Amino acid sequence: MRTTRQDPYSAVSRQESVLASNKVLRNTYGLLALTLMWAAGVAGVAMMMNLPHPGMLVTLAGFFGLLFLTHKTADSAWGLLSVFAFTGFLGYTAGPIVNAYVSGMANGGELVMMALGGTGAIFLGLSAYVLTTKKDFTFMGGFLFVGIITAFLAGLAAVIFQMPALSLAVSGMFVLLMSGLILFETSRIVNGGETNYIHATVSLFVSIYNLFLSLLHLLGFAND
């Protein structure tokens, strides 16, 4: 009977790949937790000071500008500073939005907590599924890219032309797309497709941020 011998170099290579993926995963979740707390703190300060929303143009310029800066510096020590600048800015933009729900609706605080709970449940559930099954969801990349661009342009149209129905549809689209992005990015980390934890953190943070605001919009509409 003929037996096959396992290549020791191949086994070592696989082990090193697993260790590298686990390291990226730990660093990503650690940095993600810090940035979420930082953004929540900035949002809380913005709410206490009753700061106004910066507006669509400033929000878009700050988002894409700081996102570009973060990706350009992701391989250097400046990457961490860029991440906190980016997430802090998003926290500031979220503060006035949350404040509008809390102060403008009788049960606004409950809606915010429900949106937070739903966001946490979706993120933890999807992440746990990928970590447990190790399934590869990277095939969703092209679909997610097209879907996000389409939803983004539709969202701009809803704001410019003041179309509440379209805005509601965009929020529903973003809930699905951000859920898919969580599966996609977590899968890339687990399977070794993402080796930079700063890139991974930014992707997951943006997913959580958009997921929370989209759920809050849907809950507010249902309540109204």
Side-chain angles (χ1 to χ4, degrees):
M1 180 177 181
R2 185 175 180 180
T3 59
T4 58
R5 296 180 60 186
Q6 185 178 16
D7 184 356
Y9 297 103
S10 177
V12 171
S13 178
R14 285 196 298 270
Q15 185 177 9
E16 290 177 348
S17 177
V18 171
L19 291 175
S21 298
N22 290 339
K23 182 179 179 181
V24 174
L25 188 65
R26 288 194 303 270
N27 290 340
T28 298
Y29 282 173
L31 184 58
L32 181 63
L34 291 176
T35 53
L36 287 173
M37 290 187 290
W38 163 244
V42 174
V45 171
M47 293 175 65
M48 287 187 294
M49 298 181 65
N50 200 26
L51 296 178
H53 192 273
M56 183 176 66
L57 292 179
V58 175
T59 299
L60 291 177
F63 178 88
F64 287 108
L66 290 171
L67 182 63
F68 175 78
L69 178 64
T70 301
H71 280 280
K72 290 294 289 185
T73 59
D75 294 319
S76 68
W78 292 101
L80 289 175
L81 293 177
S82 300
V83 168
F84 281 98
F86 175 69
T87 56
F89 176 76
L90 291 185
Y92 163 62
T93 62
I97 298 175
V98 175
N99 216 12
Y101 281 88
V102 173
S103 60
M105 293 185 173
N107 62 338
E110 296 179 5
L111 294 178
V112 172
M113 294 307 297
M114 289 175 62
L116 282 173
T119 301
I122 292 172
F123 175 75
L124 292 175
L126 295 177
S127 299
Y129 178 75
V130 177
L131 293 173
T132 302
T133 63
K134 302 293 192 300
K135 284 189 176 181
D136 187 0
F137 288 95
T138 55
F139 67 89
M140 299 171 61
F143 166 77
L144 291 172
F145 177 78
V146 174
I148 290 172
I149 294 297
T150 303
F152 174 73
L153 294 176
L156 286 180
V159 173
I160 294 173
F161 299 107
Q162 298 182 357
M163 303 170 65
L166 180 58
S167 178
L168 186 66
V170 169
S171 293
M173 289 175 63
F174 264 107
V175 170
L176 296 177
L177 290 169
M178 294 304 105
S179 298
L181 189 57
I182 292 171
L183 288 173
F184 172 79
E185 190 60 44
T186 307
S187 172
R188 290 187 69 211
I189 299 171
V190 171
N191 294 293
E194 179 60 84
T195 58
N196 188 300
Y197 70 96
I198 290 180
H199 288 160
T201 298
V202 168
S203 178
L204 291 176
F205 184 95
V206 170
S207 301
I208 293 171
Y209 173 85
N210 285 317
L211 182 59
F212 166 69
L213 292 183
S214 298
L215 285 175
L216 185 59
H217 184 202
L218 292 173
L219 290 171
F221 176 82
N223 178 77
D224 197 32

